[in-house]
Amino acid sequence: MALTSAARERLNWLLLESVLIVISILLAFWIDAWWEDWQIQEVRAELKLSLIEDFRSNVSEIQRTIKDVEVQISQLEHFTALYEDGDFSSAQELRESVRPATWLEGPPLVDSTLDSAISDGSISLVTTAETREAISRFIEARESADLYMRYHQESYYLGPMNRISQKIGGLSKLHGLSDPHVLSEEELLASFARKDVASMVMTATVLRRNYFSKLQDLLTASEEILEGIERLDD
């Protein structure tokens, strides 16, 4: 039976409504996907910028610390040479030579953003597989350096070396100083003639050389992370 004009018109409206509903649903899905992608890109851009800033700082601080450790090693080796040659020209020279054995400070790393990104999984937004391998090496080197620092600060030679340094410090006011507890220069030189002091300095030198190697590993990993993130999307 042929449809009446009114029936055909109603059918056309139903078809149009169906098409509009489908289009509306598809449009809603597209808008939702676009919004989600936009949010991801915003997070990605912010995270990339933050990590670049952090690792530029890290690279700079590690390089500075490496230079400091190199200077310390040179000073300690100079003290060892003085000890071996028996050539102590002045109390001040002894003080400057032994000073590096009393303290070692690691680089102040900025890594809270990295740790947070690893924890929530957003690190995958700004890294390739190669960069993530560098991050694993960075974390390993960071933990190794931290363990070394704790060991260094608790090591057996730190206390004695600090006491020696304090005694040497008093000699800067040796002339005109009446404090009877301050060693004379002759007594100081005799004190430094002991093998245990030289041994402690040699230990400090070896420990710094080992730490220098750990810092090099940390620097290499940091530079690889920075390069990998900077060249993302290039």
Side-chain angles (χ1 to χ4, degrees):
M1 183 174 63
L3 294 174
T4 63
S5 175
R8 283 198 301 270
E9 184 176 354
R10 179 173 175 78
L11 180 60
N12 288 337
W13 275 111
L14 288 174
L15 290 173
L16 180 59
E17 287 179 359
S18 299
V19 170
L20 290 175
I21 290 172
V22 171
I23 291 174
S24 298
I25 293 173
L26 293 175
L27 184 60
F29 281 135
W30 179 83
I31 292 174
D32 185 64
W34 173 84
W35 176 249
E36 183 177 355
D37 183 66
W38 182 84
Q39 289 181 310
I40 290 174
Q41 293 305 318
E42 284 291 300
V43 170
R44 185 173 183 266
E46 183 178 348
L47 179 58
K48 179 181 177 180
L49 186 63
S50 180
L51 287 173
I52 287 175
E53 181 179 347
D54 288 354
F55 275 90
R56 283 177 178 169
S57 173
N58 289 342
V59 167
S60 176
E61 289 295 337
I62 296 169
Q63 289 173 335
R64 178 191 58 79
T65 304
I66 286 175
K67 290 180 181 179
D68 290 344
V69 172
E70 286 180 317
V71 170
Q72 290 182 341
I73 291 173
S74 177
Q75 290 174 319
L76 288 165
E77 289 175 341
H78 177 61
F79 171 82
T80 302
L82 289 177
Y83 175 84
E84 292 174 349
D85 295 341
D87 181 18
F88 303 114
S89 60
S90 69
Q92 182 64 24
E93 187 173 14
L94 286 173
R95 181 187 183 190
E96 294 303 321
S97 295
V98 78
R99 187 194 301 275
T102 65
W103 183 248
L104 179 64
E105 185 176 358
L109 298 178
V110 184
D111 48 17
S112 58
T113 300
L114 175 67
D115 291 340
S116 177
I118 292 173
S119 178
D120 62 25
S122 60
I123 192 65
S124 61
L125 297 175
V126 294
T127 56
T128 61
E130 183 180 357
T131 305
R132 286 192 288 275
E133 289 178 5
I135 290 174
S136 296
R137 291 194 297 273
F138 170 83
I139 293 173
E140 182 179 352
R142 180 185 63 183
E143 292 175 351
S144 179
D146 287 346
L147 285 173
Y148 173 87
M149 286 299 300
R150 286 198 292 272
Y151 167 74
H152 175 276
Q153 292 168 3
E154 297 168 359
S155 61
Y156 72 92
Y157 72 86
L158 187 58
M161 293 306 288
N162 271 326
R163 289 194 295 273
I164 291 168
S165 181
Q166 290 168 4
K167 289 179 180 179
I168 296 175
L171 288 173
S172 62
K173 301 179 180 178
L174 182 62
H175 297 291
L177 187 65
S178 60
D179 187 348
H181 299 293
V182 176
L183 293 174
S184 69
E185 188 162 359
E186 291 74 19
E187 290 172 329
L188 177 69
L189 296 179
S191 175
F192 269 84
R194 298 181 311 192
K195 291 183 179 180
D196 59 337
V197 175
S199 175
M200 285 186 285
V201 173
M202 291 176 64
T203 300
T205 306
V206 171
L207 289 174
R208 273 164 178 73
R209 285 174 179 160
N210 290 338
Y211 189 54
F212 179 85
S213 176
K214 297 177 188 300
L215 288 174
Q216 290 283 14
D217 293 340
L218 194 62
L219 177 61
T220 299
S222 297
E223 289 175 333
E224 290 178 358
I225 293 170
L226 179 59
E227 180 183 358
I229 295 175
E230 283 182 329
R231 72 186 181 196
L232 198 69
D233 300 330
D234 288 349

